[in-house]
Amino acid sequence: MKIIMISLDTLRASRLGCYGYVKPTSPYLDTIAAQGVLFERAYAADIPTEVAHTGIFTGKVGLTTGVVSHGSELMSLPKTVPWLPTMLRAAGFTTGAVDNLYQLKEWFARGFRYYINSVGRNRWIDGRTVNELALPWLEQHKDESFFLFLHYWDAHTPYLPPKSYVGEFYDPGRNPYDPENKSMEPAYNHAAYPFFKHHHYDLVGPVTDSDYYNALYDAEIRYLDDRLRELDERLEALGIREETLLVLFGDHGESLTEHDIYWDHCGLYEPTVHVPVILRWPGRIPARRRVPGFVQQVDLLPTILEAIRSEAPAGIDLSGLDDPDGLDGRSLWPAIRGERDGTHEEIYLSECAWQAARGIRTERYKWIRTYDSGPFVRPACELYDLKEDPGETVNLAEACPDIVEEMQRRLDRWVAGKLEGREDPMRRQLVQAGLPFRRRIEQVLAAAGLTWDEWRRDPRRETFDRAASRSH
């Protein structure tokens, strides 16, 4: 038995053809989806990257593990917490990863017999690099039962796709640097600008048209799609595609200017928390199956364990592959078989990096409670009727106090139940260290001779650029 688990970092579900997007970003991914099962309403309960992947490999949400933030030195994961790669290696699988999360937190390398770091001399990780490292590994281990984790970053900023991919999504007759176009001004004059200037804007150039950035995102997905085609064609050439369980997921999505978020993944809004989840296993998973109900990323661990137990591969010790105690995830197999519409009636959401907030996604409503808005301007409470307002543009919190009160009660009960008397790790983060990405902005500002308060009073690009040029 072979299992390939693929993280498609920063991939927003609504930007894929199989999720209804009209532009040709994902022809091959759409083919894979048609060969297996697609979960129409899959959610990243914890964002962004560190917390999402921790949940995926433990089957537990951040409140259960205590890992709720990204980029924080306060976060740790005890080795006593069951970890999917460790469990599979102990059972007899050859475990491998092409990934770089180990550079963020040490626990991401746990359990891997072969951990191939995808970071080169540049910050940007190209999907071609991932394939150059992964395809020889597949050749070497094709006759073994293996678990391989691949992490593609192409849809993450900075969007720097090959130029040949851009024309399909941005009219070559348009000028992305047109001085008359002012659509980039909100992004350039945002409080988060000092961070994104160096990590994004300077790398792409003096763009004035925000549509160009959205086109670059689409082009990156199309480039990623070709890398997935290369991978799948290699599986076919090696003769192992039919026996491989392929698990693809987005760790979080991406906001493309919605809610004052410019090409990043914060905010508990649909563009960031609604993610693709697609599974293919020829002969075991029916083709063209679409699951309509709520599922979330922590469901993947028990799903994989159940798949192994049902297959009982030769040489694999199943005695240690029971579901660990205290899982928040539930197996997706009843939904795959059509016995259920999903795994959860509602999804509880959390973030603590750019902003600190929790929320609930129900069949009809999205409710968000913000504790620290970081560089953004947010009301303390937001309520959206997603049936009438799928873009989450009309905040009904003041108009519907009864719904807000009920949502707050449900959240309080859920948090208390997960903590079981432990200290709230989000509160600890905010009190002891603050938001990690606000701290990063403050460091950039300090290097330019500005304070956070000075910058927040006048967050214009010229203010920062002038101060930064003086400091150099």
Side-chain angles (χ1 to χ4, degrees):
M1 180 181 183
K2 292 92 167 65
I3 305 166
I4 301 179
M5 197 172 192
I6 300 178
S7 175
L8 306 170
D9 207 287
T10 320
L11 188 58
R12 170 174 166 167
S14 63
R15 225 62 180 187
L16 301 177
C18 52
Y19 281 89
Y21 194 44
V22 296
K23 295 183 180 180
T25 54
S26 55
Y28 200 77
L29 193 53
D30 298 345
T31 297
I32 293 176
Q35 295 168 344
V37 58
L38 177 148
F39 296 87
E40 294 178 343
R41 293 198 290 178
Y43 280 81
D46 294 278
I47 61 168
T49 302
E50 285 183 24
V51 288
H53 285 91
T54 301
I56 287 161
F57 285 129
T58 62
K60 300 177 181 181
V61 298
L63 263 183
T64 303
T65 64
V67 178
V68 298
S69 189
H70 175 102
S72 168
E73 295 183 358
L74 295 181
M75 299 294 109
S76 64
L77 186 73
K79 292 183 179 179
T80 54
V81 177
W83 184 255
L84 181 62
T86 302
M87 296 174 67
L88 298 187
R89 184 178 179 184
F93 281 90
T94 300
T95 54
V98 179
D99 178 39
N100 67 306
L101 288 177
Y102 172 74
Q103 296 193 188
L104 301 179
K105 291 290 188 297
E106 57 80 20
W107 61 79
F108 289 112
R110 292 177 188 172
F112 288 110
R113 174 67 177 84
Y114 302 92
Y115 190 93
I116 307 170
N117 195 326
S118 54
V119 172
R121 287 172 294 183
N122 298 319
R123 172 180 175 271
W124 181 48
I125 300 170
D126 192 310
R128 192 176 299 280
T129 299
V130 175
N131 282 0
E132 287 172 352
L133 297 170
L135 301 187
W137 193 94
L138 287 168
E139 175 77 37
Q140 294 163 12
H141 300 282
K142 61 184 175 61
D143 297 324
E144 305 166 22
S145 288
F146 66 70
F147 172 79
L148 177 63
F149 173 61
L150 303 178
H151 194 168
Y152 292 88
W153 288 82
D154 300 280
H156 194 288
T157 53
Y159 310 148
L160 298 171
K163 291 182 179 179
S164 59
Y165 283 81
V166 179
E168 197 165 13
F169 304 100
Y170 191 78
D171 183 351
R174 292 179 65 178
N175 177 12
Y177 312 105
D178 179 4
E180 298 302 314
N181 192 324
K182 306 298 182 184
S183 57
M184 283 294 297
E185 290 305 302
Y188 288 149
N189 297 308
H190 192 277
Y193 169 76
F195 177 86
F196 288 107
K197 170 181 168 60
H198 300 291
H199 289 278
H200 195 11
Y201 301 139
D202 284 355
L203 298 174
V204 180
V207 175
T208 60
D209 184 3
S210 62
D211 286 345
Y212 184 65
Y213 266 96
N214 293 346
L216 292 178
Y217 180 73
D218 286 348
E220 285 282 24
I221 299 173
R222 184 65 183 82
Y223 177 76
L224 168 63
D225 194 72
D226 279 350
R227 308 290 73 76
L228 297 175
R229 178 192 295 271
E230 290 174 356
L231 173 68
D232 206 36
E233 289 175 348
R234 182 60 60 91
L235 297 179
E236 178 71 19
L238 294 173
I240 61 174
R241 190 169 77 169
E242 298 303 303
E243 61 182 298
T244 298
L245 169 58
L246 193 63
V247 180
L248 302 107
F249 65 88
D251 65 334
H252 50 71
E254 186 83 320
S255 182
L256 307 173
T257 75
E258 300 95 343
H259 296 97
D260 197 31
I261 304 166
Y262 300 96
W263 309 289
D264 195 53
H265 29 272
C266 59
L268 300 178
Y269 308 106
E270 293 295 285
T272 295
V273 298
H274 179 211
V275 296
V277 171
I278 297 167
L279 276 66
R280 187 191 71 189
W281 198 12
R284 287 87 161 178
I285 289 177
R288 300 188 180 281
R289 170 80 177 126
R290 296 180 73 95
V291 172
F294 289 139
V295 304
Q296 60 188 60
Q297 294 165 335
V298 292
D299 297 333
L300 292 174
L301 180 144
T303 302
I304 290 171
L305 293 181
E306 182 175 342
I308 298 169
R309 294 194 298 265
S310 69
E311 188 74 2
I316 298 301
D317 181 4
L318 300 181
S319 64
L321 295 182
D322 292 335
D323 287 354
D325 293 336
L327 287 186
D328 296 305
R330 303 167 187 169
S331 174
L332 297 168
W333 282 102
I336 293 171
R337 293 190 293 263
E339 300 163 5
R340 296 186 59 181
D341 284 341
T343 55
H344 301 268
E345 295 299 318
E346 57 194 15
I347 304 291
Y348 288 85
L349 305 165
S350 173
E351 65 172 327
C352 187
W354 280 106
Q355 306 170 109
R358 289 186 174 127
I360 306 176
R361 169 61 156 104
T362 71
E363 184 68 28
R364 180 163 184 172
Y365 293 104
K366 168 78 65 63
W367 175 75
I368 301 170
R369 174 73 170 89
T370 297
Y371 307 100
D372 188 332
S373 60
F376 298 89
V377 177
R378 300 275 185 249
C381 183
E382 297 168 79
L383 177 69
Y384 300 103
D385 183 341
L386 297 183
K387 182 179 179 181
E388 301 296 329
D389 177 28
E392 300 165 292
T393 60
V394 180
N395 184 3
L396 301 174
E398 292 186 4
C400 302
D402 292 345
I403 297 176
V404 168
E405 289 178 13
E406 172 59 22
M407 291 289 195
Q408 184 68 62
R409 282 194 295 268
R410 286 156 73 174
L411 179 67
D412 290 344
R413 285 196 301 268
W414 182 79
V415 170
K418 293 299 177 188
L419 291 177
E420 297 181 326
R422 293 179 291 118
E423 180 184 12
D424 187 337
M426 183 181 291
R427 174 176 171 77
R428 175 172 175 256
Q429 176 68 38
L430 294 178
V431 171
Q432 295 188 18
L435 290 169
F437 280 88
R438 172 174 162 172
R439 294 287 178 250
R440 293 191 188 185
I441 295 176
E442 289 175 336
Q443 291 168 0
V444 176
L445 290 171
L450 293 171
T451 67
W452 172 261
D453 290 338
E454 289 171 335
W455 170 244
R456 288 295 278 144
R457 285 196 296 268
D458 185 24
R460 289 183 297 119
R461 174 172 51 169
E462 306 86 71
T463 301
F464 176 78
D465 288 352
R466 188 165 52 245
S469 64
R470 284 199 304 264
S471 68
H472 295 320

